[in-house]
Amino acid sequence: MPVSPDLLQRIAHEWLERNNFPDTIAAETASRLNTLLARLRTLDESRLRDLLPAMAFNPTAAAYAVPPQTPPVWEPLAHGEGTGYGGRGTTGVETAPDAPPLPATDTPDWLWWDATTLATALQQGDLSPTEVVEAALTRLHALEPTLNAFVTITADAARAAAQRVEAALARGDVGPLAGVPIAFKDLFETAGVRTTAGSRVLANYVPTRDATAVRRLLAADAISLGKTTTHEFAFGPTTDSPFLGPTRNPWNPDHVPAGSSGGSGAAVAAGIVPLALGTDTGGSVRMPAAACGVVGLKPTYGRVSKFGVLPLSWSLDHVGPLARSVADVALALRLLAGGDPLDPSTVPIPPDDYMHAVRVGREESLHGLRIGVPTAWLETGVDPDVRAAFDAALDVLRGLGANIEAADLPPADVMTLVNRLIAMGEAGAYHADLLRHFADDYAPDVRARLEVAQFITARDYLTGQRLRGELAREMALVMQTFDAIATPTMPIPAPRIGQQRWRYPDGREEAVQEAMIRFVAPFSVSGQPALSVPCGFTAQGLPVGLQLVGRPFEERTILRIGAAYEAATMWHTQHP
């Protein structure tokens, strides 16, 4: 029997001590919750009894190398549709009004260089940190607020840091990112600089500590220009909220930069910084990378510390870089990777020589590498321009010597459902007290998801964690055959700001939020490393991304493939 809005209101008032749960919110919550529960109740729960939940998830654990059950427990879930994440897809305006174009600026060519090239020029004395930071700040101020990629700009601190790095360069005592401008998604705690998570709820929060990832990049003498926009609390793929307004895609300001790390993706694509940090729970580094035509890396779960990063979902969150080249994300990963006693989810596996993997990719063929393509995933709805760019990318990889073969993966929508179930369960716990006091301060779309999360039972959450273990085993079995998996990063290009539905040529429609995460959320569940590289454009001039997924803690393989593809195509050198 479906859950009624009246029942949810009684539970909210009598059990959750909520007095801010009006009829309209109850109706939307009931609709989304019923969508989710209708699929979960198709499971034969008697077959779940022997499945242990994937708590304290480590994708390299021997337990996940054991062959999965046959037939899989998740199989009934493959016959439903929707996760409740996108709701009914009918709220809000269909699209926002046309945006003004981004202002034209006189930008030095070297502001479009990647971080590794810029760092070399700075260390050789061809440029000075002060010169670079001033040019970056000039461009930033010229594009804001139209682009709306930054929440907080730390211009004075950046200028002071540039002077310190300049003096250190003169002494020859600097880190590998000396003088390179960077930015941090506004989930990363930064001592003395507000961290809002894109929300009115934390509008005045000023941390007293740096996140571990922030500390590690600043120790490499990178210079922060400030904090970039995020979909509120990272719980959405469009980076559009009433608190901050929409962040705009530099390629077409009428379109979103995707999310939730949309500000970081837009800042890199717009030529403000060559490197920025984001977070990825269900695709939030890879989607902005694809939508903005830059490179984004989600490392293996446990590879990079999350300490000091405001959580969406503790067991799904990843920290990752967005940048202009594969070499940039390889360099960033080398600096970020490694165990952290402050984050028990980090795995003490030493980082690899990722820059060597990039050099190998650029200089050698991909002969002998097997790349799997989940052909069944491509049958559930892919924009024709995205499909054409993806097929062309596969042809390039074949030309580089890779063997491209069909791969049988668990259905993308099943893995996405598990991702959403876990994320909502954990986000609901984190936000329970905040909702009790500040519910009206949340954006409507984020509040709707978090309200659903208040009614997910421990039974349903643990079902998600148990299915995660089974799915991880199935992915490990697939990866015994393949060195990497390739998919489009998103099945659709960046939608227009405010767009709620996507229509495919066959007439099928899908909520935009559900479509955007369909190919990326599964690999946050499995914890595998995943790289998005630019692979072309739609007829409307919007970027398309190619996603490369590797075995846990084998980032070097996808970096090698990505670097080879990048060198063969040079899509990454194009900019708005």
Side-chain angles (χ1 to χ4, degrees), residues 179-334:
V180 175
I182 64 170
F184 299 103
K185 181 179 182 178
D186 203 30
L187 290 182
F188 289 81
E189 291 188 319
T190 42
V193 180
R194 68 174 181 152
T195 302
T196 73
S199 178
R200 288 191 181 94
V201 175
L202 296 182
N204 299 310
Y205 172 52
V206 179
T208 58
R209 64 185 184 184
D210 285 332
T212 296
V214 171
R215 191 170 65 251
R216 289 179 176 177
L217 290 192
L218 295 183
D221 291 317
I223 298 174
S224 175
L225 301 190
K227 309 296 286 293
T228 56
T229 52
T230 172
H231 205 108
E232 185 176 37
F233 286 105
F235 212 175
T238 60
T239 317
D240 182 5
S241 74
F243 175 51
L244 297 173
T247 300
R248 301 187 181 279
N249 192 314
W251 291 92
N252 185 331
D254 292 335
H255 290 250
V256 304
S260 61
S261 309
S264 290
V268 172
I272 297 171
V273 294
L275 174 66
L277 283 193
T279 63
D280 190 312
T281 306
S284 290
V285 163
R286 292 161 286 159
M287 289 186 289
C292 295
V294 300
V295 179
L297 174 67
K298 180 192 80 65
T300 307
Y301 183 80
R303 175 66 93 180
V304 177
S305 173
K306 302 186 295 292
F307 175 76
V309 181
L310 300 179
L312 171 57
S313 172
W314 297 283
S315 67
L316 293 172
D317 290 345
H318 302 67
V319 166
L322 294 106
R324 300 230 176 90
S325 69
V326 174
D328 283 2
V329 298
L331 175 58
L333 182 60
R334 184 66 185 84

Side-chain angles (χ1 to χ4, degrees), residues 102-103 105-108 111 132-155 158-159 181-183 223-228 263 266-267 270-273:
L102 294 181
T105 66
D106 184 15
T107 303
L111 269 188
V132 171
V133 166
E134 285 298 337
L137 287 172
T138 296
R139 182 158 179 80
L140 191 164
H141 286 296
L143 296 183
E144 296 284 306
T146 304
L147 184 65
N148 194 30
F150 279 77
V151 180
T152 302
I153 301 169
T154 54
R159 292 186 176 105
I182 64 170
I223 298 174
S224 175
L225 301 190
K227 309 296 286 293
T228 56
I272 297 171
V273 294

Side-chain angles (χ1 to χ4, degrees), residues 39-40 42-44 47-48 51 68-80 377 408-415 417-418 463-464 466-475:
R39 292 188 68 186
L40 287 179
T42 65
L43 290 171
D44 179 356
R47 298 187 59 226
L48 287 169
L51 287 181
Q69 295 187 22
T70 303
V73 173
W74 54 257
E75 203 279 335
L77 297 177
H79 305 294
W377 287 22
D408 186 15
L409 272 61
D413 69 320
V414 171
M415 296 186 76
L417 176 67
V418 171
T463 293
R466 292 155 93 181
L467 292 174
R468 181 187 197 179
E470 183 180 50
L471 292 165
R473 292 183 187 93
E474 295 199 34
M475 290 302 305

Side-chain angles (χ1 to χ4, degrees), residues 290 390 393-394 397 486-489 531-535 544-548 565:
F390 176 66
L394 295 181
L397 294 174
T487 76
T489 307
L531 176 73
S532 179
V533 295
C535 71
V544 177
L546 165 68
Q547 179 176 225
L548 299 165
Y565 176 79

